[in-house]
Amino acid sequence: MLSTIPKTLTSSARAARNQLFQTLKILTIADDQQRRNITGDIISPGQVLGIDHLRDPRLNKGLGFTLEERQALGIHGLQPARFKTQEEQLELCRISIERYQEDLNKYIYLTELQDRNEKLFFRLLSENIESLMPIVYTPTVGLACQKFGLIYRRPRGLFITINDIGHVFDVLKNWPEPNVKAIVVTDGERILGLGDLGACGMGIPVGKLALYTALAGIKPHECLPIVLDVGTNNQNLLEDPLYVGLRQKRTTGKLYDDFVDEFMEAVVQRYGQNTLIQFEDFGNHNAFRFLNAYREQYCTFNDDIQGTASVAVSGLLASKRLTNKKLSDNKFLFLGAGEAAIGIADLTVKALENEGLSTEEARGRIWMVDIDGLLALDRPEGNLDGHKKLYAKKHEPIKDFAAIVNEIKPSILIGASAVSGAFTPEILKNMSTFNERPIIFALSNPTSKAECTAEQAYTHTEGRAIFASGSPFGKVHFGDKLFQPGQGNNAYIFPGVALGVLLAGIHHINEQIFLIASETVASNVSDEDLKRGSLYPPLSSIKECSMQIACQILEYAYKERIASVYPKPKDMRKYVESHQYNHNYEPSLPQTWPWPNPPYIKTRPLEPTKLKA
Ligand code: NAI
């Protein structure tokens, strides 16, 4: 590279260059794709000089800068002499993380790494999915949200408050990146199983988008986390001096709806019609309303409803290889009829239709129970609004869940009720008398809310249960068998769906897309996975699942003529790869720029040496 740098500069060229450097030092706009100086000219990363280069997480390589880069960028002497490869830096990161006893401290370390050196952060996360995903995502992200006021250091994401109504577009314009393609948005009303956390919910969009990049290679500068802060009804937060959101009760009704409408319109105005908007952790009553209102107008999906459904149905599809039954040979009983359960039921209907059942026949196979008992058409409590009425049966009202199980005799039991221990030993035993291989999904999070543990599922069914959960469970010994059940983690689904949708330029995300994702994940489950009791592939294979989901969605989109990016790529995998983020360091100097001959290369980079713990 240095051979392209002229050895000498005329004094006028040097003066012009120095003047430009002064300007650029002041103006470092945070987008490595299209940085612009004050006159609007695009500038390259090599033109952000001096300490600003080190302070910009998108450009910083820490001790990874070569001596030539340090001198040409004006950062020579601002760091110790040692040169490190990215691999050596990763090793140091791993050692650093292991030194922290508490997961929240690991979370803070990773956040600070992301603020300091973006490529290193994403490479670390991407290469250590199994150990680090539980830190940047569930369960630790839940704790990070609860402690958000305490651990908040630097801005990440956009906070748009109800007071900004009428000016949402102006707030969006303050976001420094011009090429946003994917937004994850929450209003913080129902964060995981933790309830209303108001503006502290920001941890969720931040964590989900970190997975967009780490698991699907969507570029970080294309991702924007957003909190719509409409207040909180969490009295503890309202009284907490550390709370950083609006200190008022939630705005509801027309004003709230107008605010969300304005937000959706402002996103399209700022970033275009194809911007993907993922809804996260909105309250149940709003989640379905917004999904129904926006799914045909915007490029949007709700991960709690559709992502959960997709990963659960994926587990059901994989279970067919253990039961040797068609999906339509089953009778499904759900405990819970909320966002997660209804989403799963709706997508299961689609999967059953694909096996040849009519919609009515498919819905007939699905029985649901909520807090008021079996969804029965004539139950005195009513409460059969929305999609619930689609699953309500002509049956006498019945409340006791154990009695319902005995009455319906399902082959598949799915828990999404957040009622800990609801699948009692008696219920599990009965399931194993009705079925050779009873299918038990205890999807409620966190672990303490699961309807039963993995151990209980195996113990009370003589080890015949086919089990999956929402939270991870460890290995279970039963007799001479060792089970290692899989976790129905939405991360198998949403990054790949987002990647495929963005690269195909799909305007509206239909249910078939989530079914494609389910089938793709199920097809990645090996015989070994099934043998150890897992209906999901290992977490370490999520990146490959994301790639395959994206390719399948692209094929589907071109076949169904819902793609808007033309011409159709010849090789889908190569096309996807060519658009993915590269987390490896790249040269920091441009090939053609009148760099001065580095004036004093006296020290050579030190030989990399192995780090000791
Ligand atoms: P939700 O609040 O929308 O629904 C809860 C449902 O459970 C309601 O229908 C309610 O009536 C019912 N319920 C509550 N108590 C009951 C009782 N004693 N008996 C019978 N039914 C009862 O909540 P959402 O969003 O559907 O989440 C439910 C659970 O599923 C949560 O624990 C959540 O963490 C988990 N979930 C798991 C996911 C996964 O595994 N990937 C993804 C999303 C949610």
Side-chain angles (χ1 to χ4, degrees):
M1 169 160 304
L2 277 178
S3 61
T4 63
I5 297 173
K7 291 255 183 285
T8 55
L9 284 175
T10 64
S11 59
S12 59
R14 195 180 298 276
R17 185 208 62 195
N18 288 346
Q19 197 180 348
L20 186 57
F21 282 1
Q22 286 308 314
T23 315
L24 297 178
K25 272 185 197 176
I26 302 162
L27 285 158
T28 53
I29 300 170
D31 173 13
D32 68 351
Q33 303 298 302
Q34 286 203 338
R35 284 159 188 279
R36 290 169 193 276
N37 66 17
I38 200 161
T39 58
D41 299 328
I42 294 173
I43 57 174
S44 72
Q47 293 166 273
V48 179
L49 299 175
I51 193 78
D52 287 338
H53 202 98
L54 286 179
R55 285 186 178 148
D56 187 330
R58 206 148 283 170
L59 303 179
N60 184 26
K61 298 195 279 191
L63 296 181
F65 288 108
T66 64
L67 187 61
E68 288 80 3
E69 285 173 333
R70 294 179 194 200
Q71 295 202 359
L73 293 170
I75 56 172
H76 187 69
L78 301 185
Q79 306 192 105
R82 170 76 186 275
F83 166 79
K84 283 190 187 178
T85 62
Q86 199 180 17
E87 289 70 24
E88 284 179 298
Q89 293 178 325
L90 287 169
E91 203 176 330
L92 178 63
C93 292
R94 286 187 207 105
I95 293 168
S96 302
I97 287 183
E98 274 164 28
R99 291 184 62 228
Y100 291 111
Q101 308 277 317
E102 290 184 25
D103 286 345
L104 188 61
N105 289 333
K106 294 183 185 187
Y107 179 91
I108 295 170
Y109 172 84
L110 287 170
T111 304
E112 285 176 350
L113 180 62
Q114 192 176 6
D115 286 340
R116 181 158 46 87
N117 183 335
E118 194 171 82
K119 284 203 179 238
L120 192 60
F121 167 78
F122 280 115
R123 183 159 169 198
L124 181 72
L125 182 55
S126 170
E127 292 181 358
N128 297 276
I129 289 297
E130 286 182 76
S131 61
L132 296 186
M133 197 161 76
I135 307 291
V136 299
Y137 187 52
T138 53
T140 307
V141 73
L143 187 57
C145 288
Q146 288 175 308
K147 304 276 181 200
F148 191 74
L150 187 69
I151 65 173
Y152 177 80
R153 302 279 193 281
R154 293 183 62 181
R156 180 166 293 283
L158 202 58
F159 294 85
I160 307 176
T161 79
I162 189 74
N163 298 336
D164 298 318
I165 197 159
H167 303 280
V168 173
F169 178 70
D170 298 320
V171 181
L172 271 177
K173 277 201 309 192
N174 286 343
W175 186 249
E177 309 285 352
N179 290 326
V180 168
K181 300 210 164 94
I183 288 172
V184 176
V185 62
T186 185
D187 73 350
E189 186 170 0
R190 198 231 58 171
I191 296 298
L192 306 171
L194 303 167
D196 184 350
L197 295 186
C200 299
M202 178 56 102
I204 299 297
V206 167
K208 292 260 171 168
L209 286 169
L211 298 185
Y212 266 47
T213 302
L215 301 179
I218 297 172
K219 293 170 185 160
H221 73 276
E222 294 175 349
C223 299
L224 168 54
I226 294 183
V227 158
L228 298 179
D229 183 355
V230 296
T232 175
N233 292 344
N234 182 330
Q235 199 54 36
N236 290 337
L237 287 180
L238 289 173
E239 290 168 14
D240 181 354
L242 297 181
Y243 183 57
V244 289
L246 280 186
R247 206 173 286 276
Q248 61 189 51
K249 290 272 185 199
R250 277 186 180 275
T251 300
T252 55
K254 184 168 179 332
L255 191 61
Y256 172 79
D257 286 359
D258 289 348
F259 178 55
V260 180
D261 272 350
E262 185 185 336
F263 163 71
M264 299 299 281
E265 285 165 23
V267 167
V268 169
Q269 193 185 348
R270 173 85 170 98
Y271 294 117
Q273 185 71 55
N274 281 8
T275 317
L276 172 66
I277 306 171
Q278 173 175 334
F279 277 68
E280 268 302 324
D281 289 358
F282 279 69
N284 189 336
H285 49 292
N286 291 322
F288 281 104
R289 277 191 322 118
F290 290 140
L291 181 60
N292 292 334
Y294 297 140
R295 65 193 309 168
E296 300 295 333
Q297 287 185 49
Y298 296 95
C299 179
T300 187
F301 72 97
N302 181 306
D303 189 51
D304 306 301
I305 300 171
Q306 296 163 290
T308 304
S310 186
V311 78
V313 169
S314 163
L316 294 176
L317 293 174
S319 75
K320 292 196 296 181
R321 283 159 59 195
L322 287 171
T323 57
N324 295 319
K325 284 203 260 183
K326 289 199 291 187
L327 214 52
S328 47
D329 293 334
N330 288 290
K331 205 186 244 188
F332 303 77
L333 178 61
F334 285 76
L335 183 66
E339 275 179 61
I342 291 283
I344 300 168
D346 286 351
L347 197 64
T348 303
V349 168
K350 273 250 160 254
L352 293 172
E353 285 172 355
N354 280 4
E355 285 190 359
L357 263 55
S358 71
T359 309
E360 282 318 302
E361 286 169 334
R363 285 183 187 145
R365 301 267 197 289
I366 295 174
W367 297 71
M368 301 190 91
V369 176
D370 71 359
I371 192 135
D372 297 319
L374 183 71
L375 301 195
L377 282 170
D378 298 326
R379 70 181 188 180
E381 297 83 0
N383 191 11
L384 294 171
D385 46 322
H387 284 215
K388 278 200 218 176
K389 64 176 168 297
L390 303 176
Y391 300 100
K393 301 282 181 293
K394 214 168 168 21
H395 193 281
E396 59 170 324
I398 172 167
K399 281 205 162 164
D400 179 58
F401 186 59
I404 296 171
V405 173
N406 280 340
E407 168 89 9
I408 309 297
K409 297 192 175 41
S411 52
I412 298 180
L413 204 51
I414 298 177
S417 61
V419 182
S420 167
F423 295 169
T424 59
E426 180 203 344
I427 288 174
L428 293 168
K429 258 184 214 142
N430 286 342
M431 284 296 289
S432 71
T433 59
F434 315 141
N435 304 286
E436 178 55 35
R437 300 295 312 265
I439 297 175
I440 313 286
F441 283 10
L443 297 181
S444 290
N445 295 321
T447 317
S448 59
K449 301 251 169 120
E451 284 77 8
C452 68
T453 65
E455 187 166 10
Q456 289 163 343
Y458 295 122
T459 306
H460 300 298
T461 60
E462 302 165 337
R464 286 187 279 121
I466 298 172
F467 179 79
S469 56
S471 298
F473 282 103
K475 294 177 185 166
V476 177
H477 290 270
F478 182 81
D480 57 354
K481 288 194 190 137
L482 178 64
F483 293 106
Q484 205 178 346
Q487 181 197 359
N489 193 322
N490 295 26
Y492 283 109
I493 304 291
F494 68 83
V497 167
L499 184 64
V501 165
L502 288 176
L503 291 182
I506 292 172
H507 294 307
H508 309 301
I509 306 172
N510 62 37
E511 290 304 291
Q512 191 60 33
I513 287 176
F514 286 98
L515 207 48
I516 289 171
S518 309
E519 285 162 357
T520 309
V521 174
S523 72
N524 273 277
V525 180
S526 67
D527 290 344
E528 284 70 41
D529 296 328
L530 292 175
K531 216 182 245 171
R532 64 185 167 85
S534 177
L535 298 175
Y536 296 97
L539 286 178
S540 55
S541 72
I542 292 192
K543 279 190 283 180
E544 177 55 25
C545 287
S546 301
M547 166 61 82
Q548 290 181 24
I549 290 171
C551 291
Q552 293 298 327
I553 290 175
L554 278 154
E555 294 288 0
Y556 166 77
Y558 285 99
K559 187 162 152 261
E560 295 298 319
R561 296 171 177 273
I562 56 170
S564 67
V565 177
Y566 280 89
K568 178 183 171 186
K570 288 197 176 69
D571 181 328
M572 291 305 175
R573 199 174 178 107
K574 275 201 185 124
Y575 169 68
V576 174
E577 277 167 0
S578 71
H579 283 82
Q580 282 181 311
Y581 177 64
N582 176 13
H583 55 216
N584 297 313
Y585 289 157
E586 288 157 313
S588 300
L589 299 180
Q591 301 291 316
T592 53
W593 180 255
W595 294 108
N597 192 19
Y600 49 90
I601 299 184
K602 293 209 175 99
T603 31
R604 301 306 312 167
L606 299 180
E607 282 303 307
T609 50
K610 206 81 184 116
L611 266 180
K612 290 193 181 69

